[in-house]
Amino acid sequence: SSTALFGGARGGATTLDGKKSTVATVKELLDSSETIFTVPASGITVSEAQNLRRSLSEGTTMKVVKNKLMSRAVKGTEYEPVGEMLQGANMWFFIEEDIGGSVKAFNSFTKEYAKKETHSILGGNIEGTNYDAAGVDAISKLPSKIKLITHIAGSIKAIPTKVARVVKAPGMKVARAIKLAGEEGSE
């Protein structure tokens, strides 16, 4: 790279190959994500970012991505509307399943490091729709997919038992009525 002559940067985000690699990585993350959201990246130290990364639920990836590279990565995907959020330094959260756990971990982080005022969620995108901070927070409070599936499975499992009780009930009433009629007739 020509900047190396002048002591310039040689990192992944400055060389053409590094930029292409970043865009490819972000595209892969977008493909596997159900939800993404962003927060301001400035003012977070490397050690704070590492602690936040460790606290995130499994299946969530946190990455600082340059706006131009994020713009290229989202082009032609359901996440294209996030282009509106590409201002300033952004830290992106790519969430496969557990948005509730990820938002909770981020909120705990901002509380622990006294960053609640300066580092609130800027917005997010779920299934191609942009949401503001309040929308992301509201969606994070909904039950997770696994909880819903478990609840539905439990309900489905209970249905045959209820159906059997309902089908059996009229017969039981008729049998009791015949038995009572028989007892009254024998008296």
Side-chain angles (χ1 to χ4, degrees), residues 36 78-79 81-82 85 124-132 136 139:
I36 61 174
E78 67 180 341
Y79 296 107
V82 301
M85 297 178 213
N125 185 293
I126 299 159
E127 296 179 355
T129 305
N130 280 354
Y131 293 92
D132 61 3
V136 172
I139 290 167

Side-chain angles (χ1 to χ4, degrees), residues 49-92:
Q50 288 171 337
N51 288 336
L52 174 55
R53 204 173 260 122
R54 280 187 216 110
S55 72
L56 294 171
S57 48
E58 191 178 327
T60 298
T61 303
M62 180 185 89
K63 189 169 184 59
V64 176
V65 183
K66 286 185 171 187
N67 292 338
K68 187 79 170 167
L69 301 181
M70 187 66 173
S71 173
R72 287 193 176 137
V74 298
K75 195 172 196 127
T77 71
E78 67 180 341
Y79 296 107
E80 200 162 351
V82 301
E84 302 168 9
M85 297 178 213
L86 299 176
Q87 295 170 350
N90 290 311
M91 182 179 290
W92 289 91

Side-chain angles (χ1 to χ4, degrees), residues 15-178:
T15 64
L16 184 59
D17 287 342
K19 290 175 183 178
K20 286 179 180 176
S21 171
T22 299
V23 170
T25 300
V26 172
K27 281 185 179 224
E28 284 175 22
L29 288 169
L30 290 169
D31 286 344
S32 64
S33 298
E34 282 187 354
T35 307
I36 61 174
F37 72 86
T38 186
V39 301
S42 55
I44 296 178
T45 67
V46 171
S47 67
E48 289 171 348
Q50 288 171 337
N51 288 336
L52 174 55
R53 204 173 260 122
R54 280 187 216 110
S55 72
L56 294 171
S57 48
E58 191 178 327
T60 298
T61 303
M62 180 185 89
K63 189 169 184 59
V64 176
V65 183
K66 286 185 171 187
N67 292 338
K68 187 79 170 167
L69 301 181
M70 187 66 173
S71 173
R72 287 193 176 137
V74 298
K75 195 172 196 127
T77 71
E78 67 180 341
Y79 296 107
E80 200 162 351
V82 301
E84 302 168 9
M85 297 178 213
L86 299 176
Q87 295 170 350
N90 290 311
M91 182 179 290
W92 289 91
F93 292 76
F94 301 88
I95 305 163
E96 288 178 18
E97 281 185 9
D98 188 11
I99 183 174
S102 300
V103 170
K104 195 174 190 179
F106 177 74
N107 288 338
S108 296
F109 164 80
T110 58
K111 193 173 183 180
E112 184 181 337
Y113 290 95
K115 293 186 184 291
K116 213 141 186 67
E117 300 299 315
T118 56
H119 288 79
S120 61
I121 293 173
L122 298 173
N125 185 293
I126 299 159
E127 296 179 355
T129 305
N130 280 354
Y131 293 92
D132 61 3
V136 172
D137 193 51
I139 290 167
S140 75
K141 291 182 171 114
L142 294 172
S144 71
K145 201 184 259 185
I146 291 169
K147 283 182 187 168
L148 286 172
I149 290 169
T150 305
H151 179 74
I152 290 167
S155 299
I156 290 171
K157 192 175 175 187
I159 288 173
T161 308
K162 288 179 182 173
V163 168
R165 263 192 242 129
V166 169
V167 168
K168 207 168 137 185
M172 295 294 285
K173 286 181 181 174
V174 169
R176 269 193 233 117
I178 292 170

